[in-house]
Amino acid sequence: MDSPLPPAHELALIDGELARLEARRGYLLARRDWLLRLLAAQPAPSGRFGPAAPFGPPVPAAAAAKPSAQNVLLTLGAVLLAVAALAFTLVSWGSLGIGGRSAVLAVLTAAALAAPAALLRRGLRSTAEAVAGVGLLLTVLDAYAVRAVGLSGADGVAYAAWASAVLAGGWAGYGAALGRLRLPVLAAVGAAQLPLPLAAAAAGAGPLGAGAALLATAALDAALAAGTAGVVRRAVRVPAWVCSGVLGGTALALGLARSLAVPGAAGPALLLAAGGLVGVAVAWREPRASAAALAGGLAAVAAAGALVPAGAGSAWWAVAARVAAALALAAVAVRAGAGSGAVPGAVRRGLLRAGAAVAALGALAGLTAVAVALVARAAVLREVWAATAPQQGGPGAGVAAVLLLAAGALWLPGGVLPRPPAVAAAVVCGGAALFAAPMGPGLPAWAVFAAQLGVVAAAGVAAVRAPARAVALAAAGCAAVGALSVSLAALDGRAATFAVFGLLGACCALGAAQGAAAAAVRAGCAVGAVGYAAALAVALGAVAGLPWSWRAVAVLAVPALVAAVAARLGPVRVAAESAAAGAGALAVAVALAAGDRPVLALVLGLAGAVCAGAALRPERRALGWAAGVLFAAAAWVRLAAWGVAVPEAYALPVAVPALVMGLLRRRRDPGASSWSAYGAGLGAALLPSLVAAWGDAHWQRPLLLGTAALALTLAGAHRRLRAPLLLGGAVLAAVALHELAPYVVQVVGVLPRWLPPALAGLLLLVVGATYEKRLRDARRLRAAIGRLR
């Protein structure tokens, strides 16, 4: 904002420029008013443009009514004529004789149907459509009149079926004769949906009869849309396809519902099979109708399941029949795709997708049933080693059959999924089927354990030896879930626990040692081996009669052993050490000893010793921090067990070593920040005492804490260290506020109610008036603090 001119001279220049701008603005406003009056006095020019807008281009005049407005007017006129005809038929019909009625309707209908031809010759297509709509409505009224006069004793539903068929044929011929109108053929398509369903209703047909009528109508619609009846207009194809899909889907839904209500009945199966044939036929005729083949394939699969009779476990066998049919469909589609190409692509794609969809749904249902059975085994945790040998209940052979068939469909080459993911999904389904098959009633517990352990071992071998990563991971997942389920079931007896845990732990150790396996599989095996070792340690403590808290000490042998042999573990060292730390020192051991504070302190101290021993290796120096945390936690737990309630007893043993380490670091690296060197130690020393001081009614702790904070503040200012200065100053201010708070409350209570708001407003005014100065002061303070270390 600096200027070479004197302020008075510059102010005079600005005032002169503003005066000139004001004079120019007044002139322009006066000129604008004169131009507006001139334009208002001139007549509107004729031509294709209307009156010109002020300071703008000429505006085009309103042209003739647009087609949209014309259509609206014609539609309203047709609606009014239709309402008039309806009122005449319903209200004034009785005032005329038979001859008068027939003559009036005949004349009106003939005139309404003949007028569109003359209108089309004159190019008035929209008007012809509207008049034709009135004529079509009059034909409906004619049918009603015939029923009311000559056929009053006939069945209403049957007459409606015949009348709709006659009207559909007449409207179709009328539309074909005129050629350029869309409404008659659309009305014919709509009327053609009624004859067969109405005829079925008139004949008293049940759900299957109604479904057959709907399916036949849908087939006729599909034939019309595909052009087999000679009608290939685009105006007809879309509504015909829509009607075919809606009616066909309704028919298949009726058949499926009936098959579920009456299992094993032939009628629903025939209806579903007919729907499948119709869908495949439509896709065969229309290359772009792969959705029809998909629906046909699904209907055929449903028909196969509908033939399974009701009985014990028949629901899963019905699902198995559907999955088997889906497998057959997928195999046919794959074989047709690999052949000479005689089968259309739409049919192949539809059948393949139908088979894949049903196989996927069957696999999902089977896996859900197996998962429920596996989760149910967790009930043994309520009473471990009860030796009750509960009856082995499971999904049964039907679920195993469903999963095996789904695995076969997924294994089929050339399917929807790429090869490695498809094989991985097939491995999951096959493993679940083999694992669930022995869980049916009747087998002894040892036989179930033996069979399931064999499945787990086979899955583990597949995980180690599978060349594809996706297949290896899928097999490893099956092995892990199976091992967990068998382990839960083995907790029912002592001998089973030691046998199963020992065998699975040894298998995991062997898998971790296989160098040809994938890295993720080897790491999972290492984690499993450590976990089973910890579980065996807990079981051995239980056999020895140790209390739960002292079993934690036995568990600590696992991380100690892993730390001792870690240098020989190779690539699985990280996984084994992580599992040992989680399963041994932090999770199981701490959870077991949580109810006994002295034992928990011992466990934490031993865990710290294990971490400290592991930290002796150069690549595990970071474990020294974990050892320090564990030692501190052990000390705190011991203090809590002794009933110590002074927070400084917990904070100072951590703060002092941290400050010493910070001092040593600053000596080695004088440029290190004071926050990184002293921040943690000072925070641990000051903050717990500050929290305790705010709830302390005595004067000793606030005095000592304030003195220490003052000394830190002065030392930080003298040494130009940011962390002691800011932390000490903040704690000192908080202590002072705590000590002065009662007096401040008393003073505020004496003041009038209006004074605090007034003072706050005055403060805001002062701060606002001196905002720039306060901002500069804050920047200088920030810069001064930034220069500290």
Side-chain angles (χ1 to χ4, degrees), residues 7-17:
H9 189 191
E10 185 178 1
L11 182 60
L13 290 177
I14 292 174
D15 290 339
E17 187 66 26

Side-chain angles (χ1 to χ4, degrees), residues 511-540:
Q514 296 295 320
V521 174
R522 297 185 63 189
C525 291
V527 171
V530 173
Y532 278 113
L536 284 174
V538 175
L540 289 173

Side-chain angles (χ1 to χ4, degrees), residues 645-653 655 681-709 712 731-732 734-735 738-739:
V646 180
E648 289 79 7
Y650 299 87
L652 292 179
L682 292 177
L686 297 176
L687 297 181
S689 298
L690 178 61
V691 174
W694 272 84
D696 195 347
H698 303 284
W699 58 271
Q700 291 88 352
R701 179 178 280 113
L703 177 61
L704 294 175
L705 180 60
T707 303
L712 283 175
V731 172
L732 181 60
V735 172
H738 173 264
E739 295 301 313

Side-chain angles (χ1 to χ4, degrees), residues 354-449:
V358 174
L361 291 177
L364 181 61
L367 290 175
T368 302
V370 174
V372 171
L374 296 184
V375 172
R377 281 184 164 180
V380 73
L381 296 176
R382 292 196 295 263
E383 191 175 2
V384 179
W385 290 355
T388 56
Q391 180 70 23
Q392 294 291 335
V399 175
V402 169
L403 289 173
L404 287 176
L405 290 170
L410 292 168
W411 192 278
L412 191 67
V416 176
L417 294 176
R419 190 61 180 164
V423 175
V427 167
V428 171
C429 292
L434 296 177
F435 192 85
M439 296 178 65
L443 291 178
W446 65 267
V448 175
F449 283 146

Side-chain angles (χ1 to χ4, degrees), residues 88 93 96-109 142 145-146 149:
F88 166 76
W93 185 259
L96 299 176
I98 296 178
R101 301 170 189 175
S102 303
V104 169
L105 277 179
V107 170
L108 289 177
T109 304
D142 288 336
V146 172
V149 175

Side-chain angles (χ1 to χ4, degrees), residues 474-587:
C478 292
V481 174
L484 179 61
S485 176
V486 176
S487 301
L488 286 175
L491 291 176
D492 186 64
R494 295 189 179 185
T497 299
F498 285 100
V500 171
F501 283 20
L503 181 59
L504 291 178
C507 291
C508 289
L510 290 176
Q514 296 295 320
V521 174
R522 297 185 63 189
C525 291
V527 171
V530 173
Y532 278 113
L536 284 174
V538 175
L540 289 173
V543 171
L546 296 177
W548 281 101
S549 58
W550 283 100
R551 296 178 197 177
V553 180
V555 173
L556 287 177
V558 176
L561 179 61
V562 172
V565 301
R568 303 178 182 179
L569 295 179
V572 299
R573 180 180 59 186
V574 175
E577 288 180 337
S578 301
L586 298 179

